[in-house]
């Protein structure tokens, strides 16, 4: 039956992952059955009496309690058979699942249909093609574990069954869940239910059971055979038992003799020495108990001592005493029943001290900040402050500086309030009963009163910040001293570790005391070191985590609380105020925490500056609600700006950092001031231009002085001088660096306005860029508006002029030239006050200069155009005939004289000559065109002579004008050149 399943996998010998792939030789394929490994390796052979042959045999002494194969006295085949079965013909399922299993017929269910083979017909039709494909693939690629059953016929029946067993049941991956394995164990060909249950099924079941039983018998026979092969080892063990008993008897006698000798040695050599050691241990224990009692007496006085220290505000000493006592309780008095509650009491007392220190620090901060703000900045009770700071650091209360910060805010508010109250009380015009609110009372002050109040507040804040800086410097110095001490301790520890590494360690040979369980060397060292308790204390402090020994053991002598606290090495330091302080080693603060705390204290000084600035801003904004600051004139605002700038610089010098709130408020007010300043002057300039008749104005002496001051390099408004008995008369021209400028009144005032802009920049440097932009706008406005009024003839409608004369044009040009003369000076003034990154704003002056030059050129072109139109009108009617000079040339010379008379006193001589050269060029062009029209050529004829006479008359009249005598007119260009 086993051979009928050729698909059952058979593992290759000693390999779980390799299977047979082709037919092999039977002698190579199957090896003869080997016996089991020997349970007793190296069995005794040869002479039984030889003791050397028994050392590898089983030991009755070592193996007497271990179960071996020699304890097996039960018949193994009988044990493998199930004695509960009455007969071997039982069903397989009865054998597997027990005798209670009954093969009964199950009553079919009424709710389930009767399933027949026809129900699977459709499934068989669908699966049949797949099965054929699968079988075809199996034939092409057979399984690796396929076993050629033909080899089994070459062996006997016993080998056949063994091979079958190894093939199925001895597989490393044997599992009935595998379909192939399950089919090999329970072939379904014997359980065909198609024909119903019958005799064939019962026979098949019994046959299967007989086959499995047969397999079991074969296994039992082989096991019994293997056991029979090991019977010789049992007899060898029995023969060696007598020799083992002889060896044990001799060994027992030798051990007894050894014990007797050791007992004699112990009585003679050890008992006296051990007694001396025992007495030494007892003496050391008594000293230890005495020191412990002294220590307990000292610890008992801890609470009264702490109360006494707290009554004198000695917080650091109280905390040191509590810490020392706690350490003694944990290390040296641990387990003392009478002190079981002292530790918790000290913890509560320590918490109480924390609260007391915080309350004390709050009181100190309040008293320090609320002192009368006088010029002195002495520190209030420096020793008390240092003690409080050390106590807070010792308790890790690192946020104590926040208490000081809160007090700073409250004090800053009170300073302003008190200053306002004091000032209001001195002003009789303010009735405090009618006006109740303090802010309303402050708004009733005029500028001088309010300015004095602000100056007083700034002076108080300056003293306030100096006092805060002095106090915070003391606190910060204490923190830095602790930090420096930590670093020194760390360096010292590194040095000690290096020295200890160099010295090495000394090894001591130690013997154990059997009856005490202690080291003999420890006992001797305890006895030797008893007189010097201080040294042992230092040794104990090196390893504070060592547990105390019991009362009957040797330990180091205990010391008192004072000596225990001596391990906290202290070093003296001096604060900046001259106070000497002692720094202990128990400041359990890291360098990072101390550094962060020092930075926070420094930041608190910056916050103090910010607080003063913020309160000043609020005070400023409270006064600016009704537009008071925007109504200030230039001098008042400049005084206010200088006062605020001075306070800002003072706070920056004290605190070392800029605060932007007050500076921002000043900048905001300055921007409003600049807007109002610019609008007022632009409106004023607009009104002046609208009323300007463009006539030459007299120059008062104050304007001449103003211009002279600018020439000397001082761009500022001169101070008003007292009226002299003989006032200087106004002059006709403005003298600027030796040149005469005929100007209108608007330009004189414009120069003064420009100097006001420049002086404002000197007084308020923060508005330089805004003033530059506004001044550029003002200059552009004057240029454009003057162009509209003169060149554009806007003055005819605005002022009511009848016409725009050449004198108006020349005067306008000269006024523009005067402004252009001052633009480089103004540019240099602003450049000296701008930051390098702001130099790009100076391009506005370049654009303005170009616009002004273009405007001047347009005025010159307009003057030339006026004469050009006159030449065109007169010369178009010119005829070459007598009398000479002709009426046309007489009119031209008359108009040229009028032009010269209008502009000569207004424009410089060079500009007058250049203008007349351009007018002459226009004259020659029109004359040349007219002569060409009349066909008059330079041939020496009569017409040529008449023209030459007229031209000579024109030339003589033109050169006779003042300043034009040397003018090169080049009148030969009027004639057409002969080709």
């Amino acid at each position: 039956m086993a051979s009928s399943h050729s698909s059952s996998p058979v593992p290759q010998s000693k390999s779980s992952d390799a299977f047979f792939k082709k037919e092999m030789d039977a002698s190579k394929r199957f090896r003869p059955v080997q016996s089991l490994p020997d349970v007793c390796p190296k069995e005794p052979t040869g002479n039984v009496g030889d003791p050397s042959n028994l050392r590898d045999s089983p030991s009755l002494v070592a193996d007497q309690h271990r179960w071996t194969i020699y304890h097996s006295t039960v018949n193994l085949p009988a044990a493998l058979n199930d004695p509960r079965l009455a007969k071997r013909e039982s069903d397989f399922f009865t054998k597997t699942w027990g005798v209670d299993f009954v093969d009964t017929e199950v009553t079919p269910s009424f709710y389930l249909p009767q399933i027949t083979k026809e129900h699977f017909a459709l499934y068989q039709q669908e699966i049949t093609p797949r099965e054929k494909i699968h079988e075809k693939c199996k034939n092409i690629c057979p399984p690796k574990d396929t076993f050629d059953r033909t080899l089994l016929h070459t062996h006997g029946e016993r080998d056949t069954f063994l091979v079958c067993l190894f093939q199925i049941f001895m597989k490393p991956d044997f599992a009935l869940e595998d379909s192939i394995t399950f089919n090999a164990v329970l072939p379904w060909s014997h359980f065909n239910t198609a024909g119903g249950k019958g005799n064939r099924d019962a026979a098949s079941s019994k046959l299967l059971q007989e086959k499995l039983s047969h397999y079991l018998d074969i296994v039992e026979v082989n096991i019994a055979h293997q056991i029979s092969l090991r019977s010789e080892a049992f007899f060898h063990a029995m023969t060696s038992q007598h020799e083992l008993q002889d060896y044990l008897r001799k060994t027992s006698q030798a051990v007894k003799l050894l014990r007797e000798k050791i007992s004699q040695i112990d009585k003679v050599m050890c008992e006296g020495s051990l007694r001396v050691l025992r007495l030494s241990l007892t003496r050391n224990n008594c000293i230890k108990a005495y020191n412990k009692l002294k220590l307990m007496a000292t610890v008992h006085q801890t609470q009264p001592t702490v109360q006494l220290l707290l009554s004198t505000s000695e917080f650091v000493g109280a905390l040191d005493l509590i810490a020392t006592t706690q350490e003694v309780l944990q290390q040296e008095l641990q387990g003392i029943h009478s002190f079981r509650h002292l530790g918790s009491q000290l913890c509560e007392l320590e918490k109480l001290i924390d609260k007391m220190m915080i309350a004390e620090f709050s009181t100190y901060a309040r008293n320090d900040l609320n002192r009368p703000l006088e010029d002195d900045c002495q520190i209030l009770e420096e020793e008390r402050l240092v003690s409080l700071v050390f106590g807070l650091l010792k308790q890790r209360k690192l946020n104590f500086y926040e208490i000081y910060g809160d007090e700073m805010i409250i004090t800053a508010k009170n300073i302003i309030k008190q200053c306002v109250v004091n000032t209001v009380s001195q002003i009789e015009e303010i009735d405090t009963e009618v006006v109740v609110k303090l802010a309303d009372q402050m708004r009733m002050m005029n500028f001088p009163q309010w300015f004095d109040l602000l100056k007083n507040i700034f002076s108080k804040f300056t003293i306030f910040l100096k006092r805060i800086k002095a106090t915070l410097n003391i606190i910060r110095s204490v923190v830095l001293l602790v930090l420096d001490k930590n670093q020194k301790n760390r360096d010292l520890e590194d040095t000690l570790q290096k020295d200890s590494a160099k010295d090495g360690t000394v090894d001591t040979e130690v013997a154990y005391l059997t009856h005490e369980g202690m080291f003999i060397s420890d006992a001797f060292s305890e006895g030797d070191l008893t007189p010097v308790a201080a040294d042992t204390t230092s040794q104990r402090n090196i390893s504070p985590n060592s547990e105390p020994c019991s009362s009957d053991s040797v330990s180091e002598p205990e010391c008192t609380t004072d000596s225990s606290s001596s391990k906290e090495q202290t070093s003296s330091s001096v604060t900046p105020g001259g106070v000497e302080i002692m720094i202990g080693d128990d400041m359990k603060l890291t360098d990072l925490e101390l550094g962060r705390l020092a930075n926070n204290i420094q930041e608190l000084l910056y916050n103090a500056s910010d607080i003063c600035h913020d309160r000043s801003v609020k005070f400023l904004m409270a006064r600016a609600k009704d537009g008071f600051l925007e109504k200030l004139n230039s001098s008042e605002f400049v005084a206010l700006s200088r006062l605020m700038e001075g306070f800002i610089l003072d706070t920056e010098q004290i605190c070392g950092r800029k605060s932007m709130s007050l500076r921002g408020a000043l900048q905001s007010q300055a921007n409003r001031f600049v807007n109002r300043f610019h609008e007022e002057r632009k409106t004023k300039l607009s009104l002046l231009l609208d009323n300007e008749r463009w006539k030459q104005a007299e120059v008062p002496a104050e304007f001449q002085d103003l211009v002279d001051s600018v020439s000397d390099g001082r761009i500022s408004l001169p101070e008003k001088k007292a009226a002299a008995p003989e006032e200087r008369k106004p002059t006709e021209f403005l003298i600027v660096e030796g040149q005469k400028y005929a100007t209108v009144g608007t330009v004189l005032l414009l120069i003064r306005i420009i100097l006001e802009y420049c002086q404002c920049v000197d007084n308020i440097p923060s508005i330089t860029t805004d003033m530059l932009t506004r001044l550029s706008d003002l200059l552009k406005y004057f240029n454009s508006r003057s162009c509209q009024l003169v060149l554009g003839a806007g003055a005819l409608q605005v002022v009511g002029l009848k016409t725009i004369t050449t004198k108006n044009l020349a005067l306008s040009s000269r006024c523009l030239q005067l402004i252009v003369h001052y633009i480089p000076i103004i540019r240099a003034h602003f450049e000296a006050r701008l930051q390098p990154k702001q130099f790009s704003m100076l391009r506005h002056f370049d654009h303005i200069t170009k616009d002004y030059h273009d405007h001047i050129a347009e005025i010159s072109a307009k003057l030339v155009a006026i004469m050009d139109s006159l030449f065109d009108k007169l010369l178009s009617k010119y005829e070459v005939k007598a009398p000479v000079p002709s009426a046309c040339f007489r009119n031209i010379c008359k108009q040229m004289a009028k032009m010269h008379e209008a502009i000569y006193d207004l424009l410089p001589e060079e500009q007058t000559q250049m203008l007349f050269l351009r007018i002459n060029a226009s004259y020659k062009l029109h004359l040349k065109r007219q002569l060409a029209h009349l066909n008059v050529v330079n041939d020496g004829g009569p017409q040529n002579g008449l023209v030459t006479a007229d031209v000579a008359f024109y030339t003589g009249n033109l050169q006779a004008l003042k300043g034009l005598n040397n003018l090169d007119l080049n009148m030969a260009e009027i004639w057409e050149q002969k080709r």
Side-chain angles (χ1 to χ4, degrees), residues 139-156:
N139 295 332
I140 295 174
C141 299
K144 295 181 180 181
D145 55 352
T146 304
F147 182 75
D148 192 358
R149 298 294 179 176
T150 58
L151 296 175
L152 298 177
H153 297 288
T154 60
H155 296 276

Side-chain angles (χ1 to χ4, degrees), residues 58-73:
S59 174
L60 295 179
V61 178
D63 299 336
Q64 59 180 338
H65 299 294
R66 188 177 64 183
W67 189 91
T68 62
I69 195 172
Y70 301 104
H71 291 80
S72 177
T73 56

